[in-house]
Amino acid sequence: MAADEWRLCVNWLVQCKILPDDHRATHSEAQAFDLAQALRDGVLLCHLLNALKAYSVDVKDFSPRPQLSQFLCLKNIRTFLVTCEKVFKIDSRDLFEPPDLFDVKNFRKVLHTLSKLSKTDIAQKKGIRGFPPHNDNAEPEEDIYGNLSDMAIDHDIEDNEDLYDSVYQEGGDDEIYEDLCSTKRTRHKHSRVSSTTSVSELPPPQTKRDYCIKEMVDTERNYVDALRMIVQQFIKPLKQVISHTDKEIIFSQIENMLEVHTGFHAELHRACTTDRPKIHEVFIKWKPKFLIYGDYCSNLPKAQEHIEELTKKNEQVKDTIEDCERQANEARFRLRDLLHVPMQRVLKYHLLLRELIKNTDRTQNDVSFLQQALEAMQDLSLYVNEVKRDNEALALIQEIQNSITDLQMPQNTSLRDYGRLQKDGELKVRSHVDNKVRQRYIFLFDKVMLMGKSKIVDKFLWGETYSFKEAIVLAEYKVDSTPATKDGNRRPDKWNCSFQIVKQDNSMAYTFFAKTEEIKTKWIEAINLALDNTQPAAGKNFIMTTFNEPKVCDICGKLLRGVFFQGYKCPVSNICVHKECIGKKKQEQPPVTPHRRGEKYKAKVEYQGIPNPGARRRVLPFKINATIEVTQKDHDWWKGTCDGEEGWFPSQFVEEVRQLRQSKQSKRARRPGTADSGYMPVVIQPGVQKVKFPNEPIHPALRKVKFKSEGFDEFDWYVGPLARDQAGEKLKRLPDGAYLVRDSENPQRKGNPALSIKYSGTVRHIKIEKNSENMYYMADTRFFHSLPELIDFYQNHSLSDSFPEVQTNLLYPYKSAVSNPSEANDHDVFNNFADLSLSHGATNGITTPLRVALPPKPELSTAGQRVLSYATAVYDYAATATSQISLKAGERVAVLSKTGSDKGWWKGEHCATHRVGYFPFAYVREEDEE
């Protein structure tokens, strides 16, 4: 075979639409290992077979998201090999063995199998030429694949989440949903989807918000029609040929869903046409009834599998179902695929609400209320997604239990009772009983570690079955990562990275040996996480618990996620909580601070619900100068009434009326500008400005100043119109703390000011807004009468107060950094900053020259991935798997991938810890483009 055959394989996979045409394996500098890494988990290989012959691999026979589990990766590879032999008729002698790909022991044989596959009759029908073009059996002069197995040891299997989503699949679920529910759907000639309302009764849309509302109502109507079609065109005809039990398995909850969504659509339509009830009230009211989607999701795989079983063994059922498909949708979609539509619909509500909020004027009261509805639907979405994920996890646990042939479980107990699988793979283990080192396959669950020995039945079943050897109850052990003395009998380059787990009473210990330090670290992290899941540091008396019915957290009010071990229960207080809510106080009924009844306050700024009080508290919106009667105080959040409405608001947004009157009287008694007047006027100097915090009295003269963009040219931080990428170029070679203010070139914000600042090696961009009272702000808790006033404040106060991950003041205005901003080069920039005199931190008016080191050119993220956006956590989240990251409210995360959005998860890098992993996107608020 030619030495560049792997490149021919890459080209073939691109033509088959399995690899994207910009995949790194297509680059000129790529290596064969780049292709091997993309294929090692078996996911793309199974997608490849389905691309060549639809449904040749059943979705239940392979794991599309193996999440770096060796057990699942090997299962995928075995599924590929079996299908190649049975469906594509490839001779078993031409098939590689699972370790040839997973451990990259014989990548040449892998390429040989793929070459044979590319030339099968089925593959040739696709019109794509096989590789190599001729039967070239010549061996290359050098073995370019010989070192790949060593590279596989040093490079763990990658998370190919983005790559999986690039795979092209005909007749996907999205196509079915769009056909049935989209506002642009086409009514096919013979389609039996009937509509309850032929034309939307909403008034013609005039604004983007109107279009959002129309889409919300119309797609809901179409979804009700789709559910009615399933009931009328499938359930009723099939009642004649299938039993009641079969019907309950296949169509679980469909009829209930039709009833629920008929009522929901009617109420939503009223809300959008009469404004009674409000849109947000409809979503919040119907959320409990939407919990039936948890059961539906759990049952869906069983329903689809049951359809396949019935059609295989009963010809009458098969013919009836096919006839129903023809009558209902001209056989464009199979029944098993139609059953996906409800799952897709329930996961659309938070997206529709997010778009509605985006196009709603932030000054309207509706925004804060819609935000509550959005949080409710995000909570529902995360719950449904986690039900699905947990069912996949339970299926995996059952497979593992079946694969350990001689595993004896206690009576009425299964592996699912020991928690989730955290990690699996091969390690060498030394028991301190006999001091012998043995190779073992480890399954690590939250509560127990199982050790087994792989049984090699044949090359297809390699690693499929295991012989049980030992079980370790993790709660009885602790981890000791102190390196053990190297064993001279072992090879110095492998299995030499050790750690121990030691029994709490030191009566027993095991030493584990991994191939690399990276693998060792991952095992230690997984064991520590499993221990923290069962013995949470925040509350040792909380027990990880499985709840049989949907349960709401007693602290935050959100649903406990999933179907097993969803949360924790305290046997003393009986409260049920998320892991991240352990140790927190219940927020629904905050403590009341004694105060004088009728105590009145005046609004210093306008408040429309941002920041949100959370904990399902009702927002009290008000305008500037409004009078609020305070009825309850809870630290920074107060409850009060205004204009007949009651709700919560930030305490710093108001001041007591009595104090305000005294302040006004004292102002009349003093001359503005004197030392005791209570005012501090803006002092503008190049690079040094000072202003009074805006919550304190501001000199009246300053209130009358009208600033225009052309009036800012005198300031050394203002650069005029500039796009964000150009701002990044100007600042990227400057030290952290360098900044500029520009007029945005973004079409949606053109001409509005934006702050660009260099921090931690990255240029950040922050919008500067004006509210209805012409007050400037970047965060909704601090308002300023002018732009120079805002800049001056942040020159003297850290941005971290409003942006927690930006731990700096505004230090170096751009124009002061360069002698000629239009022509400055890197050398000029460095020289300017090398001797720049800074007043920040000076005492007694004396400034000291500060020498600043030039930082290296930053990457977009420490993980080396492109940052899509940034987001700030609005709720705490505690990771329960090693693939996740924990977040505290206020912490910032760089979003690296959104391909898991349909499952409720984004992938990101924590800006403080630089840990990369998944987090629920409902727990963060994405920052705007600027």
Side-chain angles (χ1 to χ4, degrees), residues 756-774:
S756 298
I757 181 169
K758 171 84 171 293
Y759 179 70
S760 191
T762 302
V763 177
R764 320 287 177 102
H765 306 279
I766 304 173
K767 288 194 300 185
I768 300 175
E769 302 276 22
K770 288 180 71 175
N771 66 10
S772 58
E773 302 296 327
N774 287 322

Side-chain angles (χ1 to χ4, degrees), residues 17-28:
K17 298 183 179 180
I18 296 302
L19 286 180
D21 54 14
D22 61 348
H23 186 267
R24 67 169 179 263
T26 65
H27 300 169
S28 58

Side-chain angles (χ1 to χ4, degrees), residues 340-381:
H340 272 290
V341 173
M343 282 296 300
Q344 292 174 286
R345 181 58 187 176
V346 75
L347 300 178
K348 297 289 186 186
Y349 292 127
H350 71 281
L351 301 176
L352 292 166
L353 284 166
R354 187 186 295 273
E355 194 65 22
L356 178 59
I357 292 172
K358 180 180 176 182
N359 290 284
T360 299
D361 188 345
R362 292 181 65 176
T363 62
Q364 294 186 17
N365 294 346
D366 282 354
V367 172
S368 59
F369 298 132
L370 287 173
Q371 188 68 37
Q372 296 174 22
L374 172 61
E375 291 178 5
M377 290 301 101
Q378 285 179 328
D379 187 33
L380 175 68
S381 173

